[in-house]
Amino acid sequence: MVEIVKPGLEHLPSYKAALERGWSPDNVRLEEATREQLAAIEVDPVAFLAGLDDPEAKGPPVTLPDGTKVPRLPGFRRWIWDGEAAGSIGFRWQHGTAALPSHVLGHIGYAEVPWKRRRGYATEALRLMLAEARAVGLPFVEITAKPHNPASHKVILANGGKLVDRFFEDAAYGGAESLRFRINL
Ligand SMILES: CC(C)(COP(=O)(O)OP(=O)(O)OC[C@H]1O[C@@H](n2cnc3c(N)ncnc32)[C@H](O)[C@@H]1OP(=O)(O)O)[C@@H](O)C(=O)NCCC(=O)NCCS
């Protein structure tokens, strides 16, 4: 069985072990994020966990891949859990609107540890996260995925997503072409 959990101290050893195996929960900043998280867990595990749950955007600005800093949106992260850490799924939004700034690549992002892929976990995790997005009052969510990421496309389509746009990511991300999907809630 797979579920999404609010990250807690009881989940941390398994999550940390996944980072130590080289997995990154961040599809944009990859190894850099893995290193940063391991360091943060070492310094103050409780503060690290608290920072993952930030529906009022109290946290520090977000650093984009080119180093630009932008204000943090309200958001929270859940860990994909099957008795062990299986992945991470995050949700961010703006209060009162479904719109996102152009430098925010979708409302929801996810990553599965490589050794637990192709078990339906990401599809189920997204289904569960959509309920949380509905609960904050959004009429739809947008999710972006690169054209060459069929696994992610399948996860989105299996949850009722429709392709709505082809666009170029902001220069801060390198300007690559990407796809925007929408899921009505
Ligand atoms: C995308 C990702 C989250 C999918 O996780 P997952 O738990 O393996 O997904 P699921 O098991 O729910 O699989 C979804 C579908 O994609 C298919 N799939 C999985 N990996 C695939 C691959 N490499 N190529 C083609 N299809 C693939 C699965 O077979 C399944 O299809 P099915 O329902 O027809 O069988 C995972 O591959 C991952 O973490 N990738 C790196 C990070 C990433 O790309 N995140 C998304 C950014 S938009």
Side-chain angles (χ1 to χ4, degrees):
M1 195 201 73
V2 70
E3 56 184 334
I4 59 175
V5 296
K6 189 167 169 175
L9 277 175
E10 67 276 28
H11 309 115
L12 198 54
S14 178
Y15 181 82
K16 186 176 171 218
L19 296 177
E20 284 165 343
R21 281 177 74 170
W23 168 70
S24 178
D26 185 325
N27 299 317
V28 175
R29 295 180 53 249
L30 300 172
E31 297 83 3
E32 198 183 340
T34 302
R35 274 196 305 274
E36 267 177 26
Q37 292 205 355
L38 281 169
I41 292 167
E42 207 55 42
V43 171
D44 188 342
V46 172
F48 170 71
L49 291 169
L52 299 177
D53 189 41
D54 192 8
E56 300 302 330
K58 295 195 170 115
V62 175
T63 307
L64 301 183
D66 71 345
T68 314
K69 288 196 192 299
V70 292
R72 179 173 296 272
L73 261 49
F76 52 82
R77 196 155 276 283
R78 300 286 183 251
W79 285 345
I80 305 170
W81 189 259
D82 68 352
E84 299 173 340
S88 175
I89 181 164
F91 169 52
R92 61 270 173 107
W93 80 104
Q94 305 200 99
H95 288 297
T97 173
L100 289 171
S102 69
H103 61 260
V104 176
L105 295 175
H107 289 98
I108 298 177
Y110 38 81
E112 200 63 44
V113 297
W115 53 93
K116 291 183 187 280
R117 287 185 189 166
R118 307 198 89 146
R119 297 184 190 183
Y121 283 5
T123 302
E124 177 64 7
L126 177 57
R127 191 183 73 77
L128 295 167
M129 196 58 134
L130 291 175
E132 308 229 18
R134 204 173 291 124
V136 308
L138 288 185
F140 62 83
V141 290
E142 287 181 355
I143 304 180
T144 72
K146 291 271 165 47
H148 57 261
N149 194 345
S152 185
H153 302 168
K154 280 193 170 178
V155 168
I156 298 166
L157 296 173
N159 277 289
K162 300 266 184 298
L163 177 63
V164 291
D165 195 17
R166 261 178 191 271
F167 70 104
F168 291 94
E169 292 177 352
D170 271 11
Y173 291 89
E177 190 170 24
S178 192
L179 304 177
R180 190 179 342 262
F181 296 83
R182 184 178 285 199
I183 303 177
N184 289 320
L185 297 173

